[in-house]
Structures are given as C-alpha cells and as structure tokens.
Amino acid sequence: LVDKDGVVFAVFVGRPAGGESWQALFAELDQLLKQFRSSMSLKCEDHRRGTYATISTGYSFGGGRTVPMNIARSPRRHAALRKLCSHPVLQRLVGFARSAFTFYMPKLYKKYVDCIMSLEKRDPTLQRPFECSPFPAASFNFPPHTVTYEHVDAENLADGICIVYAGGCFDYRAGGHLLLRQLGIAVEFPPTTLAIIPSASILHGNVNTQPGEERWSFTQYAAGDLFRYEGCGFR
C-alpha cells in the first residue's frame, strides 16, 4: 500500500518464495507456543486488543517507566522467553521479517537501528528479544483463538510499523482477514504469512475465524517514547 506521494506504508509480504519448509516451521512453532502457554499457565483474558492469552518481552518506555526498561517478568518466565526467542524457528521468521523491512522501508529501518543501538550503548542492560532485529519488543498471542478487536497501538512509534505473523489452522478466505477500516479494506491474511502495518496510525483488527479453527499471531514493535527519549538527549 502506498500513500498519495507513492510512499510505501504497509506491505502484505506473504511468505518466502520457494520456501517449501515454511509450513513445517509454523507447525513446529504452533507446538512450541502451546507448550509454552501450558508450562507458564497463561490464561485467556479479555483485554484491549481481544480475548486471548498473550505475553510480551523485550524493553519499552512509558506506562509509568521513567527510563527505558526491560519488561518485568519473573525469573522463570524470563528464562523461558529467552529460550523461546532463541529457537531456530523464530530466528528464521524474524530474519525474513527484517529482510522485508529493509527492502520496502530502508529509511525507516535505519531510524529504528540508529535509535535502538544508541539506547543500548547507553544502557547495556536493555535486552531485545532478537539480536538480529531492530525491534525492542515482541508479543506472542497464543492459540487457539487469537482474533483482535479493532484498535490503534497509540503507544508505538507514530510513523513506525508493526511486524505481524499469522499462524494456526483456519480458512483464510472465510475468516481471519486483516481489517484496515480507515482505508475501507479487508485483506485475506493466510496462516504462515507476514504483514507489515502502521499499527499506531491506522485502526486495525481481525475478522473472526470459523468455529473449531485455530489462529495465533506473533508481533514485533517499538514504543514511540523510546525514540523521543533518545532524540531529546536521553531525557
């Protein structure tokens, strides 16, 4: 999708061309997420984005934090999240998303890299979920039923983007569409595919899936306050 000046602001990337093993990666990740949810006793809760179990990791700013800080987790959950993020399956998904980001939005990608590297140089205790990615935070939205309400992620960088992977087993022609209401469009969002959207500036959500189907998602993003803090001389 491009604006009136031809600037790319959203991309429905899909999956790697010729990636025959891509489906198998998502099947493995599906099992990893189910095992993680069970071992961490994560419950389905009704929150601003929907009714499903979710957990985030990485670092952020705002929401009561006076400086950029790692998202607080118990030692057990922190160790489990680090192990999950280091898994080769997720490393490959993150690498593909990074390549798409650099290809379609190189200037914005550089903005993320410059800010994140500056913050981490100042405070080496900050831990990104994935060293190969410029996003300081990620969320896992667990099966069996991740369908988001329409919302805007106003805390994220206003001119930034959000990496969104869809997973599970559902008929993407009958449900799970990505809604971008302000643009008047609903886009088929098949499992195992990637979308890059401006989550802070455009209302977005999902069409419900059919009874008995499973859907989950994996997202990466950055808080806007991190960029303001770094841009104002770490104040």
Side-chain angles (χ1 to χ4, degrees), residues 103-121:
F103 180 80
Y104 288 105
M105 304 171 178
K107 293 180 181 178
L108 185 60
Y109 175 84
K110 185 177 185 301
K111 178 176 180 176
Y112 274 69
V113 171
D114 290 348
C115 176
I116 295 312
M117 296 306 293
S118 179
L119 290 170
E120 293 176 6
K121 181 178 180 180

Side-chain angles (χ1 to χ4, degrees), residues 112 151-162 182 197-204 221-224:
Y112 274 69
H151 66 286
V152 173
D153 297 303
E155 300 86 359
N156 291 351
L157 179 64
D159 62 340
I161 53 96
C162 182
Q182 289 147 297
I197 61 171
S199 62
S201 57
I202 291 182
L203 194 68
H204 58 283
Y221 50 91

Side-chain angles (χ1 to χ4, degrees), residues 93-147:
L93 266 64
V94 168
F96 178 60
R98 179 197 62 212
S99 297
F101 188 13
T102 59
F103 180 80
Y104 288 105
M105 304 171 178
K107 293 180 181 178
L108 185 60
Y109 175 84
K110 185 177 185 301
K111 178 176 180 176
Y112 274 69
V113 171
D114 290 348
C115 176
I116 295 312
M117 296 306 293
S118 179
L119 290 170
E120 293 176 6
K121 181 178 180 180
R122 181 176 178 85
D123 183 359
T125 67
L126 296 174
Q127 294 183 333
R128 266 176 288 162
F130 308 97
E131 291 185 4
C132 64
S133 170
F135 291 96
S139 289
F140 298 94
N141 305 311
F142 293 90
H145 194 246
T146 294
V147 176

Side-chain angles (χ1 to χ4, degrees), residues 23 26-35 37 51-52 141-148 165-177 189-193 206-218:
Q23 194 81 27
F26 274 79
E28 185 173 354
L29 182 53
D30 182 87
Q31 293 304 309
L32 287 172
L33 292 179
K34 289 177 178 177
Q35 292 168 10
R37 179 183 177 180
T51 304
Y52 49 84
N141 305 311
F142 293 90
H145 194 246
T146 294
V147 176
T148 60
Y165 273 109
C169 184
F170 61 94
D171 182 353
Y172 67 89
R173 297 178 182 87
H177 296 62
F189 197 177
T192 77
T193 60
N206 295 116
V207 172
N208 207 348
T209 52
Q210 304 303 299
E213 295 181 335
E214 290 193 356
R215 184 183 186 278
W216 53 263
S217 65
F218 164 61

Side-chain angles (χ1 to χ4, degrees), residues 1 12 172 175-180 185-190 195 205-207:
L1 300 180
F12 308 112
Y172 67 89
H177 296 62
L178 178 61
L179 292 174
L180 301 175
I185 61 174
V187 184
E188 290 181 351
F189 197 177
N206 295 116
V207 172

